[in-house]
Amino acid sequence: MKPTLQAVADAVGVSRSTVSNAYARPDQLSTALRRRILETAKAIGYPGPNPTARSLRRGFVGSIGVLFTSRLSYAFTDPFAVRFLAGVSEAAERHGVSLLLVPIPSDFEDARRAVENASVDSFCVYCVGDEAWALDAINARGLPFVTTAPRDDAGPDDRYVGIDERAAARGVAAHVASLGHRRVALLGDAVLPDAPAGPLRLSGVDQVPHPTTRGRLAGFADAFAEVGVAWSDLTVLTATGNDRRAAAAAVAGLFDRPDPPTAVLACSDVLALGVLDALGEDADRPDVSVTGFDDIAEAAAVGLTTVRQPAEEKGRISAELLLDPPADPTAGHVLLPTALVVRTSTRPVPRS
Amino acid sequence: MKPTLQAVADAVGVSRSTVSNAYARPDQLSTALRRRILETAKAIGYPGPNPTARSLRRGFVGSIGVLFTSRLSYAFTDPFAVRFLAGVSEAAERHGVSLLLVPIPSDFEDARRAVENASVDSFCVYCVGDEAWALDAINARGLPFVTTAPRDDAGPDDRYVGIDERAAARGVAAHVASLGHRRVALLGDAVLPDAPAGPLRLSGVDQVPHPTTRGRLAGFADAFAEVGVAWSDLTVLTATGNDRRAAAAAVAGLFDRPDPPTAVLACSDVLALGVLDALGEDADRPDVSVTGFDDIAEAAAVGLTTVRQPAEEKGRISAELLLDPPADPTAGHVLLPTALVVRTSTRPVPRS
DNA sequence: ATCCAGTACTGAATCGATCCAGAAGGGGGA
DNA sequence: TCCCCCTTCTGGATCGATTCAGTACTGGAT
């Protein structure tokens, strides 16, 4: 059995409180006694105050929970998520706080329990798909949290760090439209949650449940509406995952149809890269323009036109909002700037 | 004030224990009562058992600490580290355990304290440079841990997941030697901890403190010794960080010297990429072969010859060793296979 | 009617610290 | 000399649950 604080106190012949003070409040006792306590502690192998007991008594833990509403191991394969994490950890580092990465089990009850059992002071929720259940659980615990996706049911005091999804998407789309593209396809992950990969029949963008995807699609549509292309003339494709393979699967056969799209606008760079993969494998290589979203490192390497959003910054500010909350509670709503990055993956419509 | 377990007990009119059982041991009470308790709990807004209190009483936390012996935010910029983390999180996911990422402050005392204060059941130590102080702190707490780098003071029961650094390094070096290279430079990060970037005077590989770097350099040297190139004929370079810029700085001016090396063998892909950066900027572009180590995604993209080691696997097995310890304590020493991956960055010596 | 084995629930002890009101002792000022 | 203050240290209450030995009750077998 590891010695406890009490054991040290007994060994030195002082009270428990004094030993505690030796660790946490050096000014509360003479330096001589403090040294003696620390030495004895080392001598009998006392590992220092038990972190759990300390947290219980103090009422806070010193760590912020990071929640990916998808498989945790997946998060590390998503370049944007990784950069976001880098930002979060930078802030955590500065504040001397740890990050608890909580894996979400697929079973709903277990998932809720995972959130309830996390020893943290607050939550940073990185949204992929539906996260309402998680926010409920967090709210039930009364913990502060910040989200990175717009929410339909957000209150004015909710903390949120994001971008103007719609305006940003409209930006790239306008660029594509200006190149003359009129037959275009829009590609998102889980546009309709349980739909199979491929084209979708959507009466409007309102049907899309996930706010991020909805915002981007709406932005795309805005730009094309302005040049006279109606929503019903747009091809909306869904992928069954935010990864290259899923994207390639989603556009399979798309260019074999009559009047194929001359451009594909994807809701993320990863999806766009998947589209390029699919095009690359195609022997005939139709000249299709492709755009992404996020501006991950690989986008630059392959010349992908995309929307840049400050990933690390997003993480950093999210964490900062939790660690150092603004006095004004309504200031917890942060919109970050975005920029259109034009590269070689978008070209004027080929005339044929 | 949030209601406690006691509050629920009072509200329902049962004992604290029974409420506790309602959550943790459903078989200990009638389903009717259990439902009544759970409903009342929800009604009065009880957030469920406090995780910290539970951990204290139960004696374990349900999370494993992940320690990068460098800046945490840096870890997310290192592709190999990220893949390692993906592996760790995969195992954590399977076992329903969380990951606590602990940032290490630069101040030594603070750093030790960070390890002492982490609420975890075990530690996964990803080694970069010196980690002895961290292992000391972990040992003092009596927590199990696993390292990913060979240690000089490792005991037989210590858990370790790694590769045969020396043999693997020898492999690439032999390949380079077989292409005819005899004037070569070896590049590592912090070969001598406080040395400035650039060439080093080392009487032997024993002077290198960090075991991983030492192993790889030794392996490089082995291969060249076999073709008659002595240690003293090798140029050893140190970088002041494991990143591209640091590597570029380390080789600055290297090729302007008389009899410049015809090949650079780096201790990591990131460093090798930095060397390629430096060569790319050089207008004269001397024909220099470059090798890396790790086989990160980008290595394939630029055609870097390297040593592949299973990154995710390393993380996965490390975590598994902690979460599901082998019955035989000496089985905690795992060596993973590596493979030489020959690409275009290594070419025969240009004859001039 | 008696005994026994479950089942359902209770109470006190416990996990390992922190906090706070207060006691003891020493020194300085009036 | 007396009083007050300051420094140093103590004891008990407390954080919020879990655990386990033990009590009360129920129903079936003898």
Side-chain angles (χ1 to χ4, degrees):
Chain A
M1 208 51 219
K2 278 275 150 193
T4 66
L5 217 169
Q6 180 71 69
V8 179
D10 293 347
V12 182
V14 295
S15 80
R16 199 164 58 250
S17 321
T18 304
V19 179
S20 175
N21 284 333
Y23 283 92
R25 300 190 181 178
D27 57 313
Q28 292 295 300
L29 71 173
S30 64
T31 47
L33 179 56
R34 179 170 134 93
R35 184 162 49 226
R36 195 151 65 87
I37 290 176
L38 263 27
E39 273 164 6
T40 315
K42 181 167 291 181
I44 68 173
Y46 174 63
N50 177 312
T52 307
R54 164 177 287 184
S55 299
L56 175 59
R57 182 63 242 236
R58 288 202 174 163
F60 70 91
V61 182
S63 62
I64 102 176
V66 179
L67 219 57
F68 286 86
T69 53
S70 74
R71 289 190 55 224
L72 176 57
S73 53
Y74 162 75
F76 289 103
T77 68
D78 180 4
F80 188 77
V82 169
R83 286 174 56 196
F84 175 82
L85 267 176
V88 172
S89 63
E90 195 188 312
E93 217 152 41
R94 190 174 22 252
H95 289 263
V97 151
S98 303
L99 296 181
L100 191 74
L101 303 185
V102 185
I104 302 298
S106 51
D107 178 75
F108 184 81
E109 273 309 309
D110 290 352
R112 200 184 159 92
R113 195 134 34 223
V115 172
E116 288 169 346
N117 283 340
S119 278
V120 299
D121 301 317
S122 57
F123 273 103
C124 181
V125 185
Y126 182 94
C127 309
V128 213
D130 176 47
E131 72 280 356
W133 63 270
L135 300 186
D136 278 353
I138 296 171
N139 267 327
R141 287 185 56 183
L143 295 179
F145 64 92
V146 55
T147 57
T148 63
R151 296 196 296 132
D152 300 325
D153 55 345
D157 290 3
D158 282 351
R159 301 199 253 270
Y160 159 68
V161 178
I163 58 174
D164 186 337
E165 306 281 0
R166 187 164 185 162
R170 185 191 171 116
V172 242
H175 158 71
V176 173
S178 76
L179 291 170
H181 296 272
R182 291 298 179 271
R183 288 199 316 275
V184 301
L186 315 181
L187 170 63
D189 170 27
V191 174
L192 289 185
D194 294 315
L200 241 40
R201 261 272 150 256
L202 279 183
S203 62
V205 81
D206 313 323
Q207 285 182 43
V208 179
H210 189 49
T212 305
T213 303
R214 190 191 326 134
R216 295 186 188 173
L217 292 179
F220 293 153
D222 285 349
F224 282 101
E226 223 161 71
V227 295
V229 179
W231 170 258
S232 55
D233 294 329
L234 298 168
T235 305
V236 180
L237 304 166
T238 190
T240 55
N242 187 40
D243 57 272
R244 293 167 77 139
R245 195 165 309 180
V251 297
L254 182 66
F255 307 106
D256 302 333
R257 310 196 303 180
D259 287 337
T262 60
V264 178
L265 293 91
C267 285
S268 80
D269 282 353
V270 175
L271 291 176
L273 291 170
V275 175
L276 292 176
D277 288 345
L279 289 168
E281 281 168 11
D282 199 325
D284 304 317
R285 281 181 178 261
D287 183 13
V288 177
S289 287
V290 176
T291 68
F293 208 109
D294 291 343
D295 195 28
I296 63 177
E298 211 167 346
V302 305
L304 181 67
T305 292
T306 188
V307 175
R308 172 175 304 155
Q309 58 167 324
E312 289 87 357
E313 198 74 343
K314 210 168 177 177
R316 210 179 49 67
I317 295 182
S318 299
E320 216 73 65
L321 235 35
L322 296 172
L323 295 170
D324 198 6
D328 175 11
T330 61
H333 198 93
V334 179
L335 278 192
L336 266 26
T338 59
L340 171 63
V341 182
V342 177
R343 297 205 181 91
T344 55
S345 72
T346 40
R347 296 168 297 274
V349 181
R351 41 196 212 151
S352 59
Chain B
M1 206 52 217
K2 278 275 152 190
T4 67
L5 212 163
Q6 180 71 69
V8 179
D10 294 347
V12 181
V14 295
S15 80
R16 201 161 57 251
S17 323
T18 303
V19 179
S20 174
N21 284 334
Y23 283 92
R25 301 189 181 181
D27 57 315
Q28 293 294 302
L29 71 173
S30 62
T31 46
L33 179 56
R34 179 170 134 91
R35 183 162 48 229
R36 193 151 65 88
I37 290 177
L38 262 27
E39 273 166 5
T40 316
K42 181 166 290 181
I44 68 173
Y46 175 63
N50 177 314
T52 307
R54 164 177 288 184
S55 299
L56 174 60
R57 182 63 240 238
R58 289 202 171 160
F60 71 89
V61 182
S63 63
I64 103 175
V66 179
L67 219 57
F68 286 85
T69 55
S70 75
R71 289 189 55 224
L72 176 57
S73 53
Y74 162 74
F76 289 104
T77 68
D78 180 5
F80 187 78
V82 169
R83 286 174 57 197
F84 175 82
L85 267 175
V88 172
S89 63
E90 196 189 310
E93 217 153 40
R94 194 176 16 254
H95 290 260
V97 152
S98 303
L99 296 182
L100 190 74
L101 302 185
V102 185
I104 301 297
S106 51
D107 178 75
F108 183 82
E109 273 309 310
D110 290 352
R112 200 186 158 90
R113 195 134 35 224
V115 172
E116 288 168 347
N117 284 340
S119 278
V120 298
D121 301 317
S122 57
F123 273 104
C124 181
V125 185
Y126 183 93
C127 308
V128 214
D130 177 47
E131 71 281 356
W133 62 269
L135 301 185
D136 278 354
I138 296 171
N139 267 326
R141 287 186 56 183
L143 295 179
F145 64 91
V146 55
T147 57
T148 61
R151 295 196 297 134
D152 300 324
D153 55 344
D157 292 2
D158 282 351
R159 300 200 254 269
Y160 159 68
V161 178
I163 57 173
D164 185 338
E165 306 280 359
R166 187 162 184 164
R170 184 190 171 116
V172 241
H175 159 70
V176 172
S178 76
L179 292 170
H181 296 272
R182 291 299 180 268
R183 289 201 316 276
V184 302
L186 315 182
L187 170 61
D189 170 28
V191 175
L192 289 185
D194 294 314
L200 241 39
R201 262 274 150 255
L202 280 183
S203 63
V205 81
D206 315 322
Q207 286 183 43
V208 179
H210 189 48
T212 304
T213 304
R214 189 188 331 129
R216 294 184 188 173
L217 292 179
F220 293 154
D222 285 350
F224 283 100
E226 224 161 68
V227 295
V229 180
W231 171 258
S232 56
D233 293 330
L234 297 167
T235 304
V236 180
L237 305 165
T238 191
T240 55
N242 187 41
D243 59 271
R244 293 168 77 139
R245 197 167 305 180
V251 297
L254 182 65
F255 307 106
D256 302 333
R257 309 197 304 180
D259 287 336
T262 61
V264 178
L265 294 91
C267 286
S268 78
D269 282 353
V270 175
L271 291 176
L273 291 169
V275 174
L276 292 175
D277 289 345
L279 288 168
E281 281 169 11
D282 198 327
D284 304 316
R285 283 182 178 259
D287 183 13
V288 177
S289 287
V290 176
T291 67
F293 207 110
D294 291 344
D295 196 28
I296 63 177
E298 211 166 348
V302 305
L304 181 67
T305 293
T306 189
V307 174
R308 172 175 304 155
Q309 58 166 323
E312 289 87 356
E313 197 76 342
K314 211 169 177 176
R316 212 179 48 67
I317 296 181
S318 299
E320 216 73 65
L321 236 35
L322 296 171
L323 296 170
D324 197 6
D328 175 11
T330 61
H333 197 93
V334 179
L335 278 192
L336 298 171
T338 59
L340 171 63
V341 182
V342 177
R343 297 203 181 94
T344 55
S345 73
T346 42
R347 296 166 297 274
V349 182
R351 37 192 210 157
S352 58

